[in-house]
Amino acid sequence: MTGEIVDRFADIRVLRYEVPGFESLPLRRKMLLYCLSEAALWGRDIFWHQNGHESLIVRRVMECLYCYQVQRSKVDSRLEKYIKLIWFANGIYHHYSNDKFPVDFDLKTFERWVQEVPADVFLSKVGKTQFEIIERFKPVLFDSSFQSKKVNLKEGEDLVVTSAVNFYRNVTQAEVEKLYSADGNGRNPLNSQVKKTDSGEIIERVWKIGGMYDAAIEKIVYWLERAEEWADGDQVDVIKLLVNYYRSGDLKDFDKFNIKWVQQKDSPVDFINGFIEVYNDPLGLKATWESIVEIVDEAASSQIELISKNAQWFEDHSPVDVKWRKPKVTGVSMNVINAVMLGGDCYPATPIGVNLPNADWIREQYGSKSISLANITKAHHEASRSAGVLQEFAASEEEIERQEKYGQLSDDLHTQLHECLGHGSGQMANGVTLDDLKAYGSTIEEARADLYALYFMADDKMQEIGVAPSKDVAWAHYDAYLRGGLLVQMARIEEGKDIEEAHMRNRQMICKWTMERAEQSGAASIFERDGKHYVRISDYEEMRRLFGEMLREVQRIKSEGDYEAAKNMVETYGVKTDKALHKEVRERYASLNVAPFSGFVNPRMELVKKDGNIVDVVMSYDESYVQQMLRYSKEYAV
Ligand code: ZN
């Protein structure tokens, strides 16, 4: 059932994942997972609220309309498509392109839908009259220029004013930069909204108990405290520290939590829960709320230990300048886990690997924890195998064969090297932080980790330590990486649009930067056959050398905080697409009729009680996408 396609609409497919072995866990562990899962689900509306000022109210109104139409058995397909889209994006902006979703219906139709529903439904569920809803929604739904972009990264524009993301209210980029450029002590750049009050004062509204998002955080804390009762050893303290931080909102407490969390490595159950990733902030300061609850896959994890055990060897043999290598790599760990519950920014679209914490100084002193999500990766693979993308874009039969043989292994290996070694490698010059690269920081950091993986996957060390049977694993991956970064990923970008998302910018940037050099030496080329373009590598070792050369430069940029070089590299190679090629890729991809984006429904967990006592937790896998979204909106609304 893992990889089953549960729903399919627009450019999206929704898959199911399973949690192998859950049934046979002891009750104590099941209860811990249950409580952490509740804490994961209660943050949903925080993330919705962060995703634009209008997102939550749009969801509530659309759900009223949708449920009413379902009751009457006359659901309008245009409404259904729209509501499925916003559910998936946790808001009214596409989760990848950040563009506001256009609607297929007009204002008159919308007014009719609203007026069909009894007025008291809106009053009780949304707290607004029909008239108020229609007036408020006119610009939101029908004026494409109104708050049109969630995250705007366009150089030269006021990124704060032109981004609809709900981290800033009535302030300009200059005002925010001023606020955080002065003495940063006592401020909460990561976990607050910056707002200008009516009297013109600029304040931070901190996300904590008693602060902004109080109601949802109360629930998260409640379930974390229940989880504490079922946790063992150090994990009890880890959870306590997280609760402390949610109470104080003080980032020093968040550091304390992260330091304890990153050192707590032996528990079979682990979790991510908090305001963590900054990709949705055009300035890279504010974090979206997210959660993953996970259980370790013991067998797979022991294989990865072979990599992490050799972390120092990799660092010593890295192609980066010796002064930016880390003299002593500490605490690099990597766990293969199975996801048990996804929440906030990790649901329904979810990463396949995570490396935390993000604070560079904690990573340098205490190391970092990496996870690779085995059941999620497996679901992606199962769902993609039959799609035909490889056959369409691969340059030769040989390439297809090698990819089918080693694709899963090389993907796993890439994630492991990227998360476990890549992000944890290198060191900064004194006083430099990733924030110095501003909007380009995320892309540069992802490139650094990808290049580390690309470079070392082709090292003899892989065969020596026994994680890859031959170099063909790396060569299969080089084909796949260039095919993806130069061709296939453009299918996800609308024609005429630039690449915005950091991971995608990073992939194209690496491919174009190395390709420019490889084409000169003849190591690789883009060629045309029957009107279609393909990528061919003829000298794989030379490609590896180029990945190493680029890694050296990218590490220098990060270590020195060289903003101009970061900007130049990202803007030159990562942002613009080749228009004709972009069009061709989209047409070829469209002819395959596969959805370029995937996400997941969660399993459903329920307590089994007997005579008032909890005797078991059962997990079921039969909920549809629509059922799950409506249930979450009802059960986890604050
Ligand atoms: Zn990464």
Side-chain angles (χ1 to χ4, degrees):
M1 216 164 20
T2 285
E4 175 201 346
I5 298 174
V6 184
D7 210 331
R8 170 82 168 79
F9 49 90
D11 53 357
I12 284 161
R13 63 183 177 191
V14 182
L15 312 176
R16 200 183 296 288
Y17 68 92
E18 276 185 86
V19 186
F22 181 83
E23 294 72 25
S24 52
L25 295 175
L27 179 60
R28 194 172 168 79
R29 197 159 299 160
K30 286 182 181 171
M31 281 307 297
L32 175 61
L33 290 167
Y34 178 85
C35 297
L36 291 172
S37 294
E38 287 295 306
L41 294 173
W42 272 107
R44 181 175 181 243
D45 283 0
I46 296 178
F47 185 50
W48 270 83
H49 189 266
Q50 292 180 320
N51 274 336
H53 195 244
E54 305 296 329
S55 285
L56 251 183
I57 187 168
V58 171
R59 184 187 88 201
R60 291 189 178 129
V61 168
M62 292 300 157
E63 285 175 353
C64 289
L65 301 178
Y66 183 72
C67 291
Y68 181 81
Q69 293 189 1
V70 169
Q71 274 168 21
R72 309 239 141 181
S73 306
K74 50 161 205 167
V75 179
D76 192 300
S77 61
R78 295 167 296 178
L79 173 64
E80 185 163 70
K81 179 182 157 199
Y82 184 68
I83 199 168
K84 283 182 173 181
L85 280 172
I86 64 171
W87 276 334
F88 192 87
N90 292 280
I92 61 175
Y93 302 90
H94 193 286
H95 73 292
Y96 240 76
S97 75
N98 288 314
D99 291 329
K100 189 163 76 170
F101 290 119
V103 292
D104 297 341
F105 45 86
D106 57 17
L107 176 60
K108 273 218 148 45
T109 309
F110 178 68
E111 284 175 339
R112 180 164 54 77
W113 289 343
V114 171
Q115 276 148 7
E116 275 169 7
V117 178
D120 59 314
V121 171
F122 292 117
L123 284 173
S124 69
K125 299 231 156 112
V126 191
K128 298 251 180 297
T129 65
Q130 288 163 320
F131 176 77
E132 284 171 324
I133 288 168
I134 289 165
E135 284 306 304
R136 178 151 172 184
F137 277 41
K138 270 180 193 166
V140 177
L141 296 181
F142 303 103
D143 177 355
S144 58
S145 67
F146 177 80
Q147 299 184 1
S148 59
K149 195 111 191 132
K150 184 169 85 176
V151 188
N152 180 25
L153 297 177
K154 214 166 261 156
E155 178 66 14
E157 296 183 6
D158 185 318
L159 305 183
V160 166
V161 171
T162 54
S163 295
V165 72
N166 213 356
F167 296 141
Y168 306 103
R169 300 288 295 158
N170 308 323
V171 284
T172 64
Q173 181 174 351
E175 286 168 328
V176 176
E177 282 171 351
K178 184 162 168 247
L179 178 74
Y180 291 116
S181 68
D183 175 21
N185 261 341
R187 298 229 182 269
N188 292 272
L190 189 72
N191 62 330
S192 68
Q193 186 192 56
V194 175
K195 184 182 174 173
K196 192 188 280 173
T197 63
D198 294 340
S199 59
E201 191 193 352
I202 293 173
I203 57 160
E204 282 182 325
R205 300 173 70 205
V206 180
W207 305 329
K208 60 171 188 170
I209 285 193
M212 194 170 164
Y213 300 137
D214 174 69
I217 295 175
E218 284 270 12
K219 292 287 189 182
I220 294 166
V221 163
Y222 171 86
W223 282 105
L224 288 174
E225 287 180 330
R226 299 290 75 71
E228 236 176 84
E229 297 161 16
W230 303 97
D232 294 305
D234 281 356
Q235 193 150 47
V236 177
D237 301 326
V238 171
I239 298 172
K240 273 195 195 337
L241 286 170
L242 180 57
V243 168
N244 277 351
Y245 158 65
Y246 275 132
R247 290 194 191 287
S248 73
D250 186 337
L251 289 174
K252 289 201 184 72
D253 287 335
F254 189 48
D255 289 342
K256 283 182 197 155
F257 157 73
N258 278 316
I259 290 167
K260 190 83 184 168
W261 176 82
V262 80
Q263 294 180 93
Q264 199 257 324
K265 281 172 181 162
D266 47 2
S267 169
V269 168
D270 206 351
F271 65 94
I272 294 164
N273 183 305
F275 299 100
I276 297 176
E277 299 293 354
V278 296
Y279 299 112
N280 272 310
D281 180 353
L283 302 186
L285 295 169
K286 310 285 174 194
T288 48
W289 191 90
E290 69 175 41
S291 183
I292 300 177
V293 181
E294 51 194 71
I295 182 158
V296 172
D297 184 327
E298 304 284 353
S301 293
S302 62
Q303 142 117 18
I304 301 203
E305 256 191 66
L306 295 170
I307 292 174
S308 28
K309 244 180 24 201
N310 288 288
Q312 190 66 55
W313 185 93
F314 288 106
E315 189 71 358
D316 295 342
H317 290 80
S318 145
V320 314
D321 193 317
V322 69
K323 69 179 175 222
W324 306 131
R325 288 184 211 154
K326 207 177 269 181
K328 201 168 158 23
V329 186
T330 50
V332 180
S333 87
M334 172 95 190
N335 269 332
V336 181
I337 59 102
N338 287 305
V340 174
M341 198 60 71
L342 307 167
D345 201 357
C346 295
Y347 168 86
T350 192
I352 51 170
V354 184
N355 179 293
L356 289 173
N358 283 331
D360 268 316
W361 74 271
I362 299 180
R363 301 165 76 90
E364 280 183 22
Q365 283 183 37
Y366 301 92
S368 60
K369 256 204 273 197
S370 287
I371 56 163
S372 149
L373 288 76
N375 54 347
I376 297 297
T377 312
K378 186 162 178 246
H380 280 298
H381 263 275
E382 291 297 320
S384 300
R385 272 171 60 152
S386 56
V389 179
L390 173 63
Q391 284 71 11
E392 174 60 39
F393 289 96
S396 67
E397 281 303 322
E398 187 198 354
E399 188 180 324
I400 294 171
E401 231 170 79
R402 193 162 52 193
Q403 176 67 20
E404 285 190 331
K405 193 164 172 194
Y406 294 122
Q408 171 96 56
L409 174 62
S410 70
D411 270 9
D412 287 349
L413 209 49
H414 179 95
T415 308
Q416 291 155 15
L417 292 166
H418 173 115
E419 298 293 345
C420 162
L421 302 179
H423 280 306
S425 70
Q427 66 176 352
M428 311 289 279
N430 269 343
V432 174
T433 71
L434 193 56
D435 291 346
D436 294 342
L437 302 181
K438 297 182 193 167
Y440 300 108
S442 300
T443 302
I444 290 293
E445 178 55 17
E446 288 314 313
R448 208 174 63 86
D450 262 5
L451 287 162
Y452 210 91
L454 288 161
Y455 181 78
F456 280 116
M457 198 183 293
D459 200 288
D460 295 338
K461 196 79 179 168
M462 295 287 114
Q463 283 78 59
E464 195 187 298
I465 63 177
V467 292
S470 77
K471 289 258 164 113
D472 276 353
V473 177
W475 306 155
H477 191 57
Y478 283 13
D479 290 334
Y481 197 87
L482 290 186
R483 205 166 58 228
L486 293 170
L487 301 172
V488 184
Q489 77 165 7
M490 282 193 288
R492 295 177 168 205
I493 311 283
E494 272 178 55
E495 263 182 80
K497 293 260 161 72
D498 289 344
I499 301 177
E500 307 270 354
E501 200 272 337
H503 293 80
M504 291 180 87
R505 281 186 166 189
N506 141 53
R507 278 192 290 268
Q508 178 172 298
M509 181 175 86
I510 290 176
C511 292
K512 284 204 162 171
W513 192 96
T514 51
M515 227 16 213
E516 191 177 88
R517 288 151 181 83
E519 279 188 313
Q520 277 170 18
S521 70
S525 60
I526 295 183
F527 71 96
E528 192 181 337
R529 182 173 61 212
D530 303 332
K532 293 175 175 181
H533 288 83
Y534 302 88
V535 186
R536 180 168 45 210
I537 303 175
S538 36
D539 186 345
Y540 287 88
E541 289 290 354
E542 172 61 10
M543 282 314 295
R544 182 190 187 217
R545 197 193 62 73
L546 289 169
F547 289 137
E549 190 183 316
M550 189 174 181
L551 173 58
R552 190 181 168 90
E553 172 61 4
V554 166
Q555 179 66 55
R556 183 200 66 77
I557 291 172
K558 182 190 175 187
S559 292
E560 296 178 358
D562 188 343
Y563 173 79
E564 282 306 319
K567 175 182 162 189
N568 188 33
M569 188 182 267
V570 177
E571 293 289 342
T572 309
Y573 300 101
V575 179
K576 299 278 175 219
T577 64
D578 174 326
K579 293 212 161 41
L581 194 56
H582 190 167
K583 184 166 186 280
E584 176 197 313
V585 166
R586 281 183 64 85
E587 283 167 6
R588 288 163 72 184
Y589 201 91
S591 71
L592 301 170
N593 197 29
V594 275
F597 299 102
S598 309
F600 292 86
V601 287
N602 280 318
R604 180 171 192 175
M605 288 168 103
E606 279 167 301
L607 300 177
V608 182
K609 289 184 185 165
K610 204 172 164 192
D611 307 324
N613 296 317
I614 298 164
V615 293
D616 200 5
V617 183
V618 292
M619 202 167 245
S620 54
Y621 301 99
D622 48 11
E623 217 169 6
S624 75
Y625 174 63
V626 172
Q627 283 166 341
Q628 183 157 92
M629 287 297 172
L630 287 173
R631 180 168 68 84
Y632 284 0
S633 295
K634 195 169 149 207
E635 292 180 1
Y636 301 97
V638 283

